[in-house]
């Protein structure tokens, strides 16, 4: 949904001269919405009673799983539904918030006014909260401890900006911030707000080895390193804040653990045939939006997959049995491969540093195996016989245009081009090359002519210079 009643759908792959049928499910409590469709669009409108049928309610709380053979491997897809926190857990009030403020030269600007307004809005929703203020650049320093929002804003307004940013300081900074105690507020902070563009002076990335409170990274600048900031959020259960800071008060629905029946040797083998996205080897927390989350990959030798979902203070496990999952037919199975390619690319583009995967390498693999197109990888789409002839490419036998291409190639007289660069040489050119080769060979056989050496000449000139004074 782009906005209002405007929708966009991405469809791939596109078959040759075959129409693509798309279905869109849209649910809204207001049944009087003025939907308008093209005359050629088939529309079915179903009115649900109350909160929906018993079957719809049951399916919304259960995960689903299917497998299929495509692209020379068995692929799988498991759906993890979204579950919002209960009403009693919808609002949480943090008692202590740590503000980590980037004081490097790149942070000087006029975006701070909006930041201060949003901090005031957050403080108004949790009046009992206290704020710690830490600044960092190439070093970090505690500016304020357990103060009100106005005191914190006064300190932030007086920050001077200079120098670069060392993101590898963040683990030590977080350890210091969570270890600092404040009277009657407990030993640790509840929430961390990180104000930074995520750009390190030397392109370094922080590695959080210890547990940390959820880090919420503020993204309000034109140039930011989203991969670095997103990795911090995923590693701690936080999220990116693009608008106000009120999402800090709402507990997220997180995928906190993925376990399989894979043995230890295969688990540590990066070339194992079982692949999963999100990556089951990473100990990260993946947010689940209202649209749910797809767990996709290749089956390999794995049969059991367990997913742990945390919503607020409640935890639930979903168990998937790939050996008894629904098997898709040959017509639908490729969709599992395309879904895995899309999710894999999105994950590596966002969190490639944490996953230890190179986007360029993954992009090439997905393009070759799944014909997956990305903004950095283009495919040459050939449909008509003339396109194959223009690009001098053999048309595959299973391509719909193969017979037309073959007949047009047989009937059309080939154009004989010779004499140019990269083309077949003419008889005259071949004779010229042979003559030049013979001349070069005869020249190399000639003896080297004898000449007076340089050292002899220098000695003769030296004797003449020495004799000149005696003659005078």
């Amino acid at each position: 949904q782009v906005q209002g009643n405007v929708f966009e759908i991405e469809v791939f792959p596109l078959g040759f001269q075959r129409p693509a049928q798309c279905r869109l499910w849209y649910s809204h409590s207001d049944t009087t919405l003025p939907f308008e469709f093209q005359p050629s669009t088939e529309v079915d409108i179903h009115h649900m009673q109350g909160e929906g049928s018993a079957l719809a309610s049951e399916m919304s709380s259960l995960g689903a799983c299917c497998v299929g053979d495509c692209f020379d491997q068995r692929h799988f897809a498991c759906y993890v539904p979204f579950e919002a926190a209960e009403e009693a857990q919808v609002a949480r009030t943090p008692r202590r918030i740590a503000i980590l403020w980037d004081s490097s030269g790149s942070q000087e600007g006029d975006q701070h006014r909006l930041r201060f307004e949003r901090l005031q809005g957050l403080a108004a929703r949790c009046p009992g909260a206290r704020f710690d203020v830490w600044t960092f650049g190439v070093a970090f320093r505690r500016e304020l401890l357990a103060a009100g929002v106005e005191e914190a804003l006064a300190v932030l307004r007086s920050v001077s900006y200079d120098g670069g940013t060392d993101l590898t300081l963040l683990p030590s900074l977080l350890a210091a911030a969570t270890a600092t105690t404040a009277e009657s507020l407990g030993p640790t902070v509840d929430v961390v707000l990180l104000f930074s563009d995520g750009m390190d002076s030397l392109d370094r990335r922080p590695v959080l080895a210890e547990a940390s409170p959820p880090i919420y990274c503020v993204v309000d600048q034109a140039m930011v390193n989203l991969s670095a900031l997103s990795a911090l959020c995923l590693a701690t259960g936080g999220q990116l804040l693009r608008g106000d800071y009120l999402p800090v008060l709402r507990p997220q629905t997180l995928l906190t653990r993925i376990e399989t029946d894979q043995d230890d040797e295969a688990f540590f083998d990066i070339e194992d045939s079982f692949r999963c996205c999100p990556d089951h080897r990473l100990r990260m927390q993946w947010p689940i939006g209202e649209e749910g989350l797809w767990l996709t990959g290749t089956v390999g030798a794995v049969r059991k997959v367990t997913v742990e979902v945390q919503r607020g203070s409640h935890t639930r496990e979903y168990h998937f049995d790939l050996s008894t999952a629904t098997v898709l037919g040959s017509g639908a199975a490729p969709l599992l491969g395309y879904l895995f390619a899309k999710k894999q690319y999105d994950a590596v583009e966002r969190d490639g540093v944490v996953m230890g995967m190179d986007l360029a390498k993954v992009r090439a693999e997905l393009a070759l195996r799944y014909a997956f197109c990305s903004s950095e990888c283009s495919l040459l789409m050939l449909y008509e016989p003339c396109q194959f002839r223009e690009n001098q490419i053999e048309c595959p036998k299973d391509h719909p245009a193969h017979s037309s291409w073959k007949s047009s190639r047989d009937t059309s007289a080939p154009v004989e081009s010779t004499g140019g660069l990269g083309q077949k040489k003419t008889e005259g050119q071949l004779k010229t090359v042979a003559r030049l080769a013979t001349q070069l060979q005869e020249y190399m056989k000639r003896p080297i002519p004898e000449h007076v050496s340089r050292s002899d000449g220098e000695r003769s000139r030296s004797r003449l210079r020495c004799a000149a004074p005696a003659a005078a």
Side-chain angles (χ1 to χ4, degrees), residues 17-334:
Q17 294 184 351
R18 289 184 300 175
Q21 296 183 352
C22 307
R23 290 185 178 182
L24 172 67
W25 286 266
Y26 181 78
S27 175
H28 199 280
S29 58
D30 187 0
T31 60
T32 63
L33 290 177
F35 286 105
E36 296 180 0
F37 301 92
Q38 295 292 334
S40 59
T41 304
E42 298 180 5
V43 182
D44 292 326
I45 299 179
H46 302 276
H47 298 283
M48 307 298 293
Q49 300 295 330
E51 296 297 327
S53 64
L55 178 60
S57 177
E58 179 182 359
M59 291 302 296
S60 64
S61 61
L62 297 176
C65 180
C66 59
V67 297
D69 296 320
C70 57
F71 303 103
D72 300 326
Q73 287 182 304
R74 169 154 287 200
H75 289 70
F76 73 93
C78 302
Y79 177 73
V80 181
F82 169 78
E83 293 187 50
E86 297 178 356
E87 292 296 330
Q89 298 180 342
V90 168
R92 64 177 180 182
T93 304
R95 300 182 61 193
R96 187 174 169 200
I97 302 174
I99 297 176
L100 310 186
W101 195 269
D102 189 347
S103 60
S104 63
S106 63
Q107 295 302 293
E108 189 172 13
D110 57 357
Q111 74 274 11
H112 302 313
R113 179 184 57 81
L114 184 57
R115 291 178 174 181
F116 297 154
E117 293 177 359
R118 290 171 174 173
L119 281 172
Q120 289 174 327
L122 175 62
R125 297 291 297 270
C126 46
R130 311 296 285 177
F131 293 85
D132 299 351
V133 178
W134 298 74
T135 58
F136 70 96
V138 294
F140 65 86
R141 185 176 65 178
R142 189 185 72 188
E143 305 287 351
L144 196 64
L145 177 64
V149 65
E150 294 302 329
E151 296 177 73
L153 295 181
V155 170
L156 294 175
R157 289 190 179 98
S158 64
V159 172
S160 58
Y161 301 90
D162 190 21
T165 305
D166 183 3
L167 291 182
T168 60
L169 293 174
L170 286 180
S172 301
L173 173 53
L174 288 170
T178 55
T180 304
T181 59
E183 185 178 355
S184 73
L185 290 179
T188 59
V189 299
D190 302 305
V191 170
V192 175
L193 289 176
L194 176 63
F195 294 84
S196 174
D197 57 8
M199 296 185 182
D200 186 273
S201 303
L202 301 177
D203 198 24
R204 294 162 293 195
R205 302 298 177 95
V207 178
L208 302 181
E210 299 180 358
S212 168
I215 299 178
Y216 292 82
C217 299
V218 176
V219 180
D220 56 3
Q221 297 175 265
M223 298 293 292
V224 294
N225 188 343
L226 280 179
S227 62
L229 299 180
S230 178
L232 290 172
C233 295
L234 291 175
T236 60
Q239 64 184 108
L240 300 175
L241 300 178
R242 302 178 184 271
D244 58 47
Y245 306 155
L246 298 184
V248 171
L249 307 179
R250 297 188 290 268
Q252 294 190 87
T253 300
L254 301 171
L255 189 155
T256 56
R257 179 172 57 89
I258 303 175
E259 289 189 355
T260 70
D261 57 354
Q262 189 179 37
D263 57 49
D264 293 340
E265 182 178 357
F267 181 85
F268 291 104
D269 183 9
I270 60 175
E271 300 297 334
D272 185 69
S273 56
F274 174 75
R275 301 181 66 184
C276 182
C277 182
D279 195 335
H280 67 298
R281 297 181 175 91
L282 300 178
R283 300 302 180 183
M284 302 179 69
Q285 304 181 69
W286 305 81
I288 301 178
E290 295 184 359
E291 70 281 1
L293 182 141
W294 284 102
L295 189 72
T296 64
T298 54
V299 175
V302 170
R303 295 295 177 265
K304 305 287 186 180
V305 178
T306 300
V307 173
E308 181 183 81
V309 175
Q310 179 179 344
R311 51 187 184 92
S313 59
H314 296 289
T315 301
R316 178 174 179 178
E317 289 186 349
Y318 292 88
H319 301 278
F320 301 100
D321 190 343
L322 302 183
S323 61
T324 60
T326 302
V327 180
L328 300 184
S330 58

Side-chain angles (χ1 to χ4, degrees), residues 262-431:
Q262 189 179 37
D263 57 49
D264 293 340
E265 182 178 357
F267 181 85
F268 291 104
D269 183 9
I270 60 175
E271 300 297 334
D272 185 69
S273 56
F274 174 75
R275 301 181 66 184
C276 182
C277 182
D279 195 335
H280 67 298
R281 297 181 175 91
L282 300 178
R283 300 302 180 183
M284 302 179 69
Q285 304 181 69
W286 305 81
I288 301 178
E290 295 184 359
E291 70 281 1
L293 182 141
W294 284 102
L295 189 72
T296 64
T298 54
V299 175
V302 170
R303 295 295 177 265
K304 305 287 186 180
V305 178
T306 300
V307 173
E308 181 183 81
V309 175
Q310 179 179 344
R311 51 187 184 92
S313 59
H314 296 289
T315 301
R316 178 174 179 178
E317 289 186 349
Y318 292 88
H319 301 278
F320 301 100
D321 190 343
L322 302 183
S323 61
T324 60
T326 302
V327 180
L328 300 184
S330 58
L335 294 177
L336 299 180
Y338 299 136
L339 180 62
F340 171 64
K342 180 70 169 67
K343 297 299 181 182
Q344 181 78 345
Y345 180 82
D346 291 342
V348 177
E349 184 181 37
R350 180 188 58 196
D351 312 310
V353 176
V354 180
M355 300 171 67
M357 302 178 70
D358 180 23
L359 179 61
K361 181 179 179 181
V362 172
R363 184 172 59 233
E365 292 177 353
L366 297 180
L368 293 175
R369 177 175 290 274
Y370 300 101
F372 178 78
C373 290
S374 64
S375 56
E376 301 88 359
C377 180
S378 61
L379 294 179
L380 185 62
M381 308 296 289
L382 305 180
Y383 293 99
E384 303 295 337
C386 60
Q387 294 176 319
F388 287 94
R389 293 195 302 270
E390 291 172 357
N391 293 277
Q392 299 181 358
I393 297 177
E394 295 283 335
C395 182
K397 293 183 178 179
D398 56 351
H399 194 282
H402 180 265
S403 57
S404 300
W405 168 81
K406 184 178 180 180
S407 60
S408 63
R409 185 190 62 172
D410 295 339
T411 56
S412 60
V415 179
E416 186 70 20
S417 299
T418 59
L421 291 176
Q423 297 177 346
K424 183 179 179 180
K425 304 305 177 185
T426 63
E427 291 294 332
Q429 290 174 329
L430 292 176
K431 292 179 180 179

